[in-house]
Amino acid sequence: MSTDNSTQAPRLQPAPTERNGGRILIDQLIIQGVKRVFLVPGESYLPCIDALYDHQDKIQPIVCRQESGAGYMAEAHGKLTGEPGICFVTRGPGATNASIAVHTAYQDSTPMILFVGQVGNDFAEREAFQEIDYRRMFGQMAKWVAQIDRTERIPEFIARAFAVATSGRPGPVVLALPEDTLWGKASVPDVPRYRRAHAAPTPDAMDELARLLAAAERPFLLLGGSGWTPQAARSIEGFAERFGLPVGVAWRRLECFDNHHPNFAGHVGWGMPESLRRRVQQADLLIAVGTRMGEATSEGYSVIASPLPQQRLVHVYPDAGELGRVFHPTLPIVADAPSFAAAVDRLAPARERTGSGAAYQARRAHEAHEEYLAGQEPKAAPGKLNLNKVACHVRDHLPADACLTVGAGNYALYPHAYHRFRGVGTSLAPTVGSMGYGLPAAIAAKLEDPRRTVVCFAGDGCFQMNLQELGVAMQYRVGIVVLVFNNGIWGTIRAHQEREFPGRTVALGFDNPEFSELARAYRGYGEIVDSDEAFGPAFERALAFANAERLPALLELRYDPDGIAPGMTLSGIRADALARQSEA
């Protein structure tokens, strides 16, 4: 006989046992589904470290070499999974080192939680050893910054941190942990696992979107931001196909749409080809989903003007506070990417858009994709090693689900110009342009999915900002491939310098170690490559080593520094700048 549970007395919860703050905190992380934390150990949060001892079967602690590396790994984990990446650092210097990852997570809209040890409340406001007010320090670069001053409130703060990090526009949360909170004891119940709140479009908004699509002659779909899922990507593909929409991806968000899809138009932002720039500028309807359309994507708010875009703008974003803040939209829609994708799954073209109208739109999308493909042939470059050909070789010899990571620098333009990303999880790139990101991100990607091929592109300067994290790859047997672009200069800044002050080069070059030897010091594989003919076989050897030995493999690419970007040379930039000066 069935029983109506609603008539039964509520089930009594067992009385909570007394635990110290560190154990309470780690118990909450387990409840929230955390399976991995990235940390640099510190005495300021010892009770948390001790609590991990009893839960090594549930949470894997990844011991990093420097806090920026730990933070970047947590941020990359958040990008890949959509769940907050968790990082622990000690107070003072540990927190300042980790701040670069918090800034990255904020501008990249990545869910992340940074736990920072803190002096005890009994020493607060005395400038005690390594004391910093984290509310003031992180105030403008995090969604929420708080300090847990009472042991019994730890479950409340942890649950809220997960909700804040993932709701609306995702982003970082920083929680400071005073020593007396962690060492203190309390009998407090756990808080259940958080549930993510989704913002979805209203029926009226979808009706208006349908009317705008019916009236548009040159619509363009621009995708970006975070929180994309494979299902959302498939739904958006169907939407683009039904309406004949050319699809672009925002700056460094190449994973948001399958680059092989016949509607894919290219990477919108700094360095985009003129044909794509015109297509976005001349669109009479721009549907921007998930992206803020920041400075890089809008090319300094010119291709998409602020505050009044020349295109009718449908701006779909999960945070209402962003809509109308920089760009005035024709139609603002408060929705996250999965919810919007589910809604457009049910949207069909109006009757007048069938027949010749539909064929016209499909032809426009096809033309956009053909223009994109036309730029996929490797450009010429000076010297024996052509980086354009390197990027094309990598593109043509990796599995479809391979993940590419980059930090910041002109070298990153090569994979972004030539690689055809397959969708969610295939790219990790900081839109904030932070250096040193590629190697930690590659390690995080491989830890999350050991079966996936992961390749890190890194400039010689970028790589040296976090090369010590090779120790993490060695310790945890992480078989990644690292391509170090060794030209002995701060290339991006050199290009800007030649453009603005041609021929006045100073403080932009440096001597490098032999990176291949460094890789071998970390028990990995290292090889120098300096010609087109040598790259293919070397890349094959590096992949084979990484897969077989589960250790890092590094190829040091030595090339002519004059080849500064796809289709560009430093000498050409200097010549153009000198010519402009002579005409002025």
Side-chain angles (χ1 to χ4, degrees):
M1 183 178 66
S2 64
T3 304
D4 184 354
N5 290 330
S6 64
T7 64
Q8 295 179 336
R11 181 177 298 173
L12 295 177
Q13 296 291 331
T17 58
E18 188 178 66
R19 298 166 287 176
N20 71 25
R23 185 168 294 273
I24 293 172
L25 192 153
I26 297 302
D27 286 346
Q28 306 316 300
L29 295 187
I30 293 171
I31 291 169
Q32 300 302 333
V34 173
K35 294 180 173 57
R36 184 175 300 113
V37 299
F38 303 93
L39 71 153
V40 175
E43 72 276 13
S44 61
Y45 65 95
L46 276 176
C48 298
I49 298 173
D50 177 72
L52 285 169
Y53 181 86
D54 294 323
H55 295 300
Q56 296 175 68
D57 59 328
K58 298 183 179 69
I59 294 182
Q60 180 188 25
I62 302 298
V63 181
C64 303
R65 298 333 187 234
Q66 208 259 17
E67 289 86 359
S68 67
Y72 278 147
M73 290 182 205
E75 195 278 345
H77 179 92
K79 265 196 179 82
L80 278 174
T81 67
E83 299 290 334
I86 306 299
C87 182
F88 280 86
V89 298
T90 198
R91 62 189 178 226
T96 54
N97 281 341
S99 63
I100 188 171
V102 176
H103 186 206
T104 300
Y106 188 78
Q107 286 220 338
D108 284 40
S109 303
T110 302
M112 172 183 170
I113 302 174
L114 176 69
F115 293 101
V116 183
Q118 176 62 300
V119 301
N121 283 291
D122 51 342
F123 288 173
E125 300 294 341
R126 293 178 176 174
E127 197 183 341
F129 181 60
Q130 298 179 335
E131 181 183 2
I132 294 178
D133 183 342
Y134 298 111
R135 294 184 183 92
R136 292 170 60 196
M137 174 182 167
F138 288 105
Q140 287 191 316
M141 68 172 83
K143 286 189 71 176
W144 180 43
V145 186
Q147 182 164 300
I148 311 177
D149 287 327
R150 297 181 65 86
T151 305
E152 62 270 22
R153 295 191 67 184
I154 291 175
E156 169 196 343
F157 275 73
I158 301 302
R160 179 178 171 185
F162 275 81
V164 171
T166 58
S167 63
R169 174 186 172 182
V173 168
V174 179
L175 291 181
L177 309 171
E179 287 191 10
D180 52 317
T181 299
L182 295 180
W183 286 94
K185 294 184 177 181
S187 299
V188 59
D190 298 322
V191 174
R193 179 175 167 84
Y194 82 104
R195 294 187 62 182
R196 182 169 306 178
H198 289 279
T202 65
D204 286 347
M206 297 308 295
D207 289 343
E208 187 171 351
L209 173 61
R211 289 193 292 271
L212 289 169
L213 280 164
E217 295 294 330
R218 300 178 304 280
F220 190 91
L221 179 59
L222 177 62
L223 309 178
S226 59
W228 288 89
T229 65
Q231 179 56 54
R234 287 191 293 271
S235 295
I236 288 292
E237 286 178 9
F239 172 56
E241 291 163 7
R242 291 192 302 278
F243 286 86
L245 302 174
V247 183
V249 289
W251 172 252
R252 291 191 156 207
R253 293 297 193 182
L254 291 113
E255 74 281 4
C256 291
F257 195 80
D258 186 349
N259 298 182
H260 294 77
H261 193 280
N263 289 52
F264 182 67
H267 187 196
V268 178
W270 287 327
M272 67 178 135
E274 182 57 33
S275 59
L276 180 56
R277 183 178 294 109
R278 284 197 308 271
R279 192 172 290 278
V280 177
Q281 286 177 320
Q282 295 173 5
D284 60 355
L285 177 64
L286 178 62
I287 305 170
V289 182
T291 175
R292 294 186 299 113
M293 297 175 292
E295 178 189 356
T297 299
S298 64
E299 286 197 332
Y301 310 101
S302 61
V303 176
I304 308 167
S306 171
L308 295 173
Q310 61 270 42
Q311 311 92 337
R312 281 177 291 178
L313 173 63
V314 176
H315 197 179
V316 183
Y317 203 75
D319 185 350
E322 187 67 32
L323 297 174
R325 187 172 74 90
V326 180
F327 302 96
H328 182 76
T330 304
L331 173 61
I333 299 178
V334 182
D336 54 36
S339 297
F340 179 77
V344 297
D345 231 358
R346 301 184 291 272
L347 206 61
R351 184 172 301 172
E352 58 267 27
R353 277 298 188 189
T354 59
S356 61
Y360 166 72
Q361 294 294 1
R363 185 167 64 252
R364 287 188 65 255
H366 177 74
E367 289 170 355
H369 188 62
E370 289 299 313
E371 290 170 356
Y372 162 72
L373 292 177
Q376 290 288 287
E377 289 300 314
K379 298 176 176 63
K384 296 188 300 178
L385 181 61
N386 182 335
L387 299 186
N388 303 275
K389 293 181 178 179
V390 165
C392 289
H393 183 94
V394 172
R395 175 194 69 199
D396 297 336
H397 291 82
L398 285 182
D401 68 342
C403 178
L404 267 61
T405 73
V406 301
N410 272 19
Y411 71 88
L413 296 173
Y414 292 94
H416 288 169
Y418 294 108
H419 200 80
R420 296 174 198 164
F421 295 88
R422 284 282 187 176
V424 177
T426 59
S427 172
L428 287 171
T431 66
V432 73
S434 49
M435 299 182 75
Y437 180 88
L439 177 61
I443 292 170
K446 193 70 173 181
L447 285 168
E448 181 61 21
D449 187 354
R451 298 168 300 177
R452 171 175 277 178
T453 300
V454 180
V455 178
C456 167
F457 284 68
D460 47 0
C462 189
F463 178 67
Q464 289 183 88
M465 290 194 176
N466 266 317
L467 70 83
Q468 72 281 347
E469 303 307 327
L470 282 174
V472 178
M474 174 184 69
Q475 180 174 347
Y476 296 95
R477 303 300 294 263
V478 177
I480 58 174
V481 174
V482 183
L483 304 180
V484 177
F485 291 66
N486 183 1
N487 62 1
I489 58 174
W490 295 108
T492 302
I493 310 308
R494 173 71 182 274
H496 286 298
Q497 186 270 341
E498 292 289 5
R499 190 174 291 113
E500 303 299 332
F501 303 100
R504 295 176 57 80
T505 302
V506 64
L508 295 175
F510 46 81
D511 289 337
N512 281 321
E514 190 166 313
F515 294 109
S516 57
E517 291 288 348
L518 278 174
R520 287 191 280 273
Y522 284 98
R523 302 180 197 154
Y525 178 84
E527 185 174 350
I528 296 170
V529 178
D530 60 5
S531 69
D532 293 342
E533 297 76 20
F535 180 77
F539 188 61
E540 185 176 346
R541 287 190 290 270
L543 283 172
F545 177 90
N547 291 331
E549 302 298 329
R550 294 188 296 122
L551 285 166
L554 183 150
L555 298 182
E556 178 183 337
L557 309 182
R558 296 182 178 178
Y559 61 101
D560 188 336
D562 192 41
I564 195 62
M568 298 176 64
T569 61
L570 288 172
S571 55
I573 294 172
R574 177 185 291 188
D576 289 345
L578 290 172
R580 288 196 306 272
Q581 287 184 357
S582 65
E583 294 170 358

